[in-house]
């Protein structure tokens, strides 16, 4: 346990000092300010013809603004963290050093996964806190009557967004273990976002045409993070202004469970690859 926590702590510190990670975090914070300001402009009626989504309840509308931002752009953080956890250390020969020490290989990969997930949780909480602060500064008067609605959904926004970004982090980690070239691993990891986004068109639709009547395309699409988010209507169900926050989360619980299953499968495969292959 001591070795596991030591490796997790090292991973957390390494990610915190990684220049690429810090640049992406800063860029994300700048984007959050722009996102919050855009919400302020539209909700104040300064952009004729435009309106915010779910504006029948401005607390839910503001929560959706946070949800959209950290899921849509949070995938970049997930990919960077997943690749940096393996590829950068492999390039610096750090993994070779770790695997030659009297530490079990499964302890190493478990510690790195734990450290990466802990860092991701902190980053996601930072994004939500920063986004919330920006919205309250810009739209405080507008949101004041709806703060309970806003904060009641924020926990579930965090949980689903965390699972959503974890899916891409775990896939990126697996790809980085399978591909020795760091740049190529990053490219392949980025392609997972495109494939997930276009999954319904690229895979699901064509698979149902090739094998009609089995419903395989729809079943596979239900495990694609972006297909789940947009085609599956997770956003609309979570932001349903007609029901409470807990009821809304219960509506998306099957999708949340499938996301966690995707994360678990990718992490288990990463574990197997790391333990059984020479990845130095």
């Amino acid at each position: 346990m001591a070795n596991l926590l030591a490796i997790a702590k090292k991973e957390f510190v390494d990610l915190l000092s990684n220049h690429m990670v810090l640049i992406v975090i800063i860029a994300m914070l700048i984007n959050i300010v722009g996102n919050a300001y855009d919400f302020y402009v539209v909700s104040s009626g300064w952009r004729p013809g435009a309106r915010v989504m779910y504006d029948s309840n401005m607390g839910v509308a503001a929560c959706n603004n946070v949800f959209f931002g950290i899921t849509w752009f949070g995938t970049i953080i997930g990919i960077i963290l997943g690749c940096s956890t393996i590829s950068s250390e492999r390039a610096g020969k750090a993994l070779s050093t770790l695997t030659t020490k009297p530490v079990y290989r499964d302890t190493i990969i478990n510690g790195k996964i734990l450290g990466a997930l802990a860092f991701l949780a902190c980053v996601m909480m930072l994004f939500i806190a920063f986004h919330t602060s920006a919205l309250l500064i810009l739209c405080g008067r507008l949101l004041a009557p709806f703060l309970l609605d806003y904060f009641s959904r924020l926990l579930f926004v965090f949980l689903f967004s965390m699972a959503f970004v974890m899916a891409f982090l775990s896939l990126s980690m697996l790809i980085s273990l399978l591909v020795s070239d760091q740049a190529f691993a990053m490219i392949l990891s980025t392609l997972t976002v495109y494939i997930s986004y276009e999954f319904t068109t690229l895979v699901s639709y064509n698979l149902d045409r090739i094998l009609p009547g089995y419903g395989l395309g729809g079943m596979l699409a239900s495990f694609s993070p972006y297909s789940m988010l947009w085609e599956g209507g997770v956003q609309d169900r979570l932001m349903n202004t007609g029901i409470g926050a807990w009821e809304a989360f219960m509506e998306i619980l099957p999708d949340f469970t499938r996301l966690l299953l995707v994360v678990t499968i990718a992490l288990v495969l990463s574990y197997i690859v790391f333990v059984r292959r020479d990845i130095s």
Side-chain angles (χ1 to χ4, degrees), residues 164-179:
F164 186 86
V165 177
M166 279 170 57
F168 292 100
L169 184 153
S170 56
L171 288 171
S172 299
M173 186 180 292
L174 176 60
I175 291 170
S176 296
L177 284 168
L178 294 171
V179 179

Side-chain angles (χ1 to χ4, degrees), residues 48-271:
R51 54 185 296 184
V52 296
M53 297 177 68
Y54 316 108
D55 59 355
S56 61
N57 185 313
M58 293 308 296
V60 175
C63 211
N64 179 66
N65 188 258
V66 176
F67 181 67
F68 177 83
I70 62 176
T71 50
W72 186 260
F73 297 103
T75 52
I76 301 173
I77 289 291
I79 290 171
I80 295 296
L81 294 183
C83 290
S84 297
T85 297
I86 302 298
S87 298
S88 59
E89 293 215 29
R90 172 191 271 148
K93 305 300 181 184
L95 286 178
S96 298
T97 304
L98 279 173
T99 52
T100 56
K101 288 185 175 181
V103 179
Y104 291 113
R105 292 173 71 93
D106 60 344
T107 302
I108 296 172
I109 188 61
N110 288 337
K112 294 183 77 62
I113 290 172
L114 180 62
L117 294 183
F119 187 84
L120 175 62
C122 290
V123 169
M124 296 294 281
M125 286 189 285
L126 170 66
F127 288 163
I128 290 177
F130 194 80
H131 208 144
T132 299
S133 299
L135 287 171
L136 290 177
I137 291 171
L138 292 170
C139 315
R141 290 185 179 179
L142 183 67
L143 295 179
F146 304 98
L147 287 180
L148 181 59
D149 296 303
Y150 175 79
F151 284 106
S152 64
R153 289 181 198 248
L154 208 54
L155 172 63
F156 303 120
V157 165
F158 169 75
L159 290 175
F160 189 89
S161 301
M162 182 72 183
F164 186 86
V165 177
M166 279 170 57
F168 292 100
L169 184 153
S170 56
L171 288 171
S172 299
M173 186 180 292
L174 176 60
I175 291 170
S176 296
L177 284 168
L178 294 171
V179 179
S180 58
D181 185 273
Q182 184 178 0
F184 189 48
M186 186 77 74
I187 292 171
L188 291 178
S189 298
T190 305
L191 280 176
T192 62
V193 179
Y194 174 76
I195 292 171
S196 176
Y197 186 68
E198 298 289 347
F199 196 91
T200 302
T201 303
L202 292 176
V203 179
S204 177
Y205 176 74
N206 289 314
L207 184 61
D208 282 338
R209 290 185 63 186
I210 295 171
L211 298 171
Y214 293 97
L216 294 177
M219 183 190 71
L220 290 176
S222 68
F223 285 90
S224 167
Y226 271 107
S227 295
M228 192 183 302
L229 194 61
W230 309 122
E231 301 291 334
V234 164
Q235 184 183 21
D236 287 334
R237 283 178 282 144
L238 183 58
M239 300 301 161
N240 185 349
T241 58
I243 57 179
W246 176 253
E247 290 79 7
F249 183 69
M250 288 297 101
E251 288 284 323
I252 66 164
L253 186 59
D255 305 272
F256 181 70
T257 305
R258 285 196 298 273
L259 265 183
L260 292 181
L261 181 59
V262 171
V263 172
T264 301
I265 292 172
L267 290 180
V268 168
L269 290 175
S270 297
Y271 175 90

